[in-house]
Amino acid sequence: MTRRWRFHPEGQAWAIAIAVAAAWAYRWRETHSPASQLLEAVLEHTPPGATRRGLQKARTLPLETAPALAARELGSGERVISEDTVPYSVWCAARHLDNYAEALWSSVSGYGDRDTTCAIVGGIVALSAGRASIPPAWLEAREPLPRRF
């Protein structure tokens, strides 16, 4: 019997948005394009729906906005759904593409689902800022990783 899977459109939008953000962040290391272009690139590829609408709203918030205010406007994962998590996470990553620690502190400042938003933001910013941007004390305090990492 063939099993047919149906995936939620907003879950697909989540995956697309974060994959595009990660790819763009990696390329940013060479281009150093304006950080606001990260949101533009993500919007260009995210399908219509609630997540895209949230990203459109995030695009209008200046990157200098306080994270707590941005979280009130965009959501910060409290509802544990794509439209409430992705826009804030991509916005936080765009604020600090060159500073891993600041990106995570920014993400945490919005409260909400902090482990999820930090995982998303950290994954994106690690690609733009590089491993050297991760504070050595944080690397030393992490759980051991297999040698291949």
Side-chain angles (χ1 to χ4, degrees):
M1 175 183 225
T2 303
R3 183 172 225 163
R4 298 181 80 188
W5 294 97
R6 293 187 182 208
F7 300 101
H8 195 283
E10 292 303 319
Q12 292 175 355
W14 173 311
I16 291 166
I18 300 309
V20 169
W24 190 94
Y26 184 76
R27 290 188 62 217
W28 181 83
R29 292 162 64 145
E30 294 175 4
T31 65
H32 287 282
S33 303
S36 60
Q37 289 182 4
L38 170 59
L39 283 157
E40 295 298 329
V42 171
L43 268 168
E44 182 180 335
H45 297 284
T46 303
T51 301
R52 181 181 174 81
R53 287 189 298 275
L55 287 163
Q56 288 169 324
K57 194 175 196 182
R59 177 179 57 184
T60 68
L61 281 179
L63 296 177
E64 299 78 28
T65 303
L69 177 58
R72 281 194 296 275
E73 292 291 319
L74 303 172
S76 61
E78 286 182 342
R79 295 174 40 217
V80 193
I81 56 177
S82 179
E83 67 196 73
D84 183 50
T85 306
V86 171
Y88 179 71
S89 297
V90 174
W91 181 86
C92 284
R95 287 185 90 219
H96 299 289
L97 285 168
D98 61 348
N99 191 315
Y100 186 86
E102 286 301 317
L104 293 187
W105 286 121
S106 182
S107 180
V108 167
S109 297
Y111 298 104
D113 188 4
R114 292 171 284 209
D115 60 334
T116 300
T117 60
C118 281
I120 294 168
V121 172
I124 294 167
V125 175
L127 292 168
S128 59
R131 189 173 196 265
S133 181
I134 301 172
W138 293 10
L139 291 171
E140 291 168 14
R142 72 171 188 231
E143 295 179 17
L145 294 173
R147 216 51 187 141
R148 65 181 181 268
F149 293 109

